[in-house]
Amino acid sequence: MIDRVPAATKDRILERSAELFRRQGYAGTGVKQIVAEASAPFGSLYHFFPGGKQQLGEEVIRRSGALYEELIDAFFIPRSDAESATRAFFAAAAETLRETDYADACPIATVALEVSSTSEPLRLACAEVFNGWIDAAVERLVAGGLAHDVARELAISMLASLEGAFVIARALRSTEPVEVAGEAAAASVRAALQSAPASGPGGRA
């Protein structure tokens, strides 16, 4: 019975959906493929997600977004060197592309490009995740010595650079775009830190 399907089945559906969306996009992923790869009964998807594929997509976006946000916490340790953290963050992204043969990039960007003009619920879910990433990066950059407005500009610039670099890197099958974007982002952080006040709110003590 569907009511007895364990919660682990829902986790498998979410995990496989996230991977499929990341690799082949939201539109290119069918419900039948999702349940087959999750080894789940077809009806279980609608049991856990009565709204169907769109509701599943919203939950996958938010779940994936939270997992990726943890990477910001892992690299941008409070009071650490923000320039080095930026460089390491982009280097790790490049390594992930190499290790996955350019299949694993950002699942949120992949979906956002497809659905932002056609599905308001999915667009809002993507926007929520991107805003969360920006806020997390801003918090760490401010802790590293930058004023809030400068930190926000840098956070948005870094995110835009990384997402754009992912697209070009996958097309070229080369990590060069990510590496170049990472060096540019690190240079921007260095310049901002050098221009930051020596003390005061948002400045280095």
Side-chain angles (χ1 to χ4, degrees):
M1 296 289 293
I2 292 301
D3 288 342
R4 297 178 182 175
V5 174
T9 301
K10 181 178 181 180
D11 288 336
R12 288 202 309 276
I13 291 173
L14 287 167
E15 289 166 4
R16 295 303 297 152
S17 296
E19 182 176 344
L20 290 168
F21 291 168
R22 185 168 60 245
R23 291 172 180 265
Q24 60 192 43
Y26 177 81
T29 300
V31 170
K32 290 183 179 179
Q33 182 184 13
I34 291 170
V35 294
E37 297 211 13
S39 299
F42 185 81
S44 63
L45 188 146
Y46 292 94
H47 169 73
F48 292 118
F49 309 99
K53 185 181 176 184
Q54 179 170 277
Q55 183 182 351
L56 169 62
E58 290 180 66
E59 191 157 340
V60 166
I61 289 166
R62 292 188 171 96
R63 179 186 172 111
S64 298
L67 291 173
Y68 274 67
E69 188 172 319
E70 291 177 2
L71 294 176
I72 296 175
D73 293 336
F75 283 93
F76 292 86
I77 301 170
R79 303 295 177 182
S80 65
D81 178 0
E83 178 188 346
S84 296
T86 299
R87 188 173 285 107
F89 186 80
F90 276 79
E95 183 62 25
T96 297
L97 284 174
R98 281 191 292 267
E99 290 179 348
T100 61
D101 196 26
Y102 298 90
D104 262 359
C106 174
I108 314 305
T110 302
V111 175
L113 283 170
E114 290 184 279
V115 305
S116 290
S117 298
T118 58
S119 172
E120 186 65 3
L122 291 176
R123 183 196 70 77
L124 289 172
C126 290
E128 178 183 314
V129 168
F130 284 139
N131 277 322
W133 291 353
I134 291 167
D135 290 344
V138 168
E139 180 180 346
R140 294 309 175 94
L141 290 170
V142 168
L146 296 177
H148 186 276
D149 58 341
V150 174
R152 181 170 174 79
E153 288 181 6
L154 277 174
I156 294 173
S157 176
M158 284 193 289
L159 177 58
S161 295
L162 180 61
E163 298 295 3
F166 274 146
V167 173
I168 300 172
R170 294 182 75 181
L172 298 181
R173 296 187 70 78
S174 167
T175 57
E176 183 182 13
V178 179
E179 292 159 2
V180 170
E183 286 303 315
S188 294
V189 171
R190 180 173 65 250
L193 287 169
Q194 290 172 345
S195 300
S199 61
R204 292 170 292 176

